[in-house]
């Protein structure tokens, strides 16, 4: 007996917009219809892992507190942290903290303020 991780759920004001934004960043296919107004939308990685964006009970934007959970992303082989940070910013992310000089990662926030990191070498 045992369990395995099924998916990670992210509370979102607009699940469709969030799923579509993360789809553009990660390149994972959208699951289901993912229409404006849906209360849940998801992406699925090639390995079968899902990111679920869910609006049930979400009534206001994320506050300034630290996320208790965030995603760490590593550039694909041959890619660089700089390229991926620039691409994320072009898609609408905001740089929160640039730690490349000390720890080799950059903290960003998606359009709803959820933080994630892009790792360096």
């Amino acid at each position: 007996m045992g369990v395995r991780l099924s998916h990670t759920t992210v509370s979102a004001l607009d699940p469709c917009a969030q799923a579509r934004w993360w789809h553009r960043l990660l390149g994972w296919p959208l699951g289901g219809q993912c229409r404006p107004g849906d209360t849940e939308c998801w992406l699925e990685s090639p390995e079968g892992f899902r990111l679920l964006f869910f609006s049930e009970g979400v009534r206001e934007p994320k506050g300034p507190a630290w996320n208790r959970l965030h995603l760490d992303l590593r550039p694909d082989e041959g890619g660089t942290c700089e390229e991926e940070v620039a691409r994320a910013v072009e898609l609408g992310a905001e740089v929160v903290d640039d730690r490349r000089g000390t720890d080799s990662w950059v903290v960003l926030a998606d359009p709803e303020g959820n933080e994630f990191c892009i790792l360096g070498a």
Side-chain angles (χ1 to χ4, degrees):
M1 292 179 65
V3 297
R4 63 183 176 86
L5 186 60
S6 168
H7 60 273
T8 296
T9 301
V10 179
S11 296
L13 288 170
D14 186 341
C16 180
Q18 282 292 93
R20 289 180 185 281
W21 188 87
W22 281 92
H23 160 73
R24 290 190 308 271
L25 182 67
L26 296 173
W28 296 359
L30 290 165
Q33 297 293 316
C34 192
R35 296 173 303 240
D38 284 352
T39 58
E40 63 179 55
C41 294
W42 71 90
L43 309 173
E44 190 163 336
S45 76
E47 299 79 22
F49 182 76
R50 287 186 177 183
L51 273 179
L52 170 68
F53 298 92
F54 188 72
S55 65
E56 188 73 29
V58 179
R59 309 232 188 291
E60 55 193 51
K62 178 190 169 298
W66 282 83
N67 291 355
R68 297 191 84 182
L69 174 90
H70 72 256
L71 302 174
D72 288 330
L73 309 176
R74 184 172 306 283
D76 288 337
E77 183 132 353
T80 67
C81 178
E82 290 74 19
E83 292 168 341
E84 293 306 319
V85 167
R87 191 169 70 81
V89 168
E90 183 177 305
L91 290 172
E94 180 181 329
V95 174
V96 174
D97 189 12
D98 190 334
R99 307 286 302 250
R100 284 179 278 194
T102 56
D103 298 315
S104 192
W105 68 75
V106 178
V107 181
L108 298 108
D110 72 15
E112 286 198 7
N114 300 299
E115 295 172 3
F116 63 99
C117 292
I118 296 181
L119 306 175

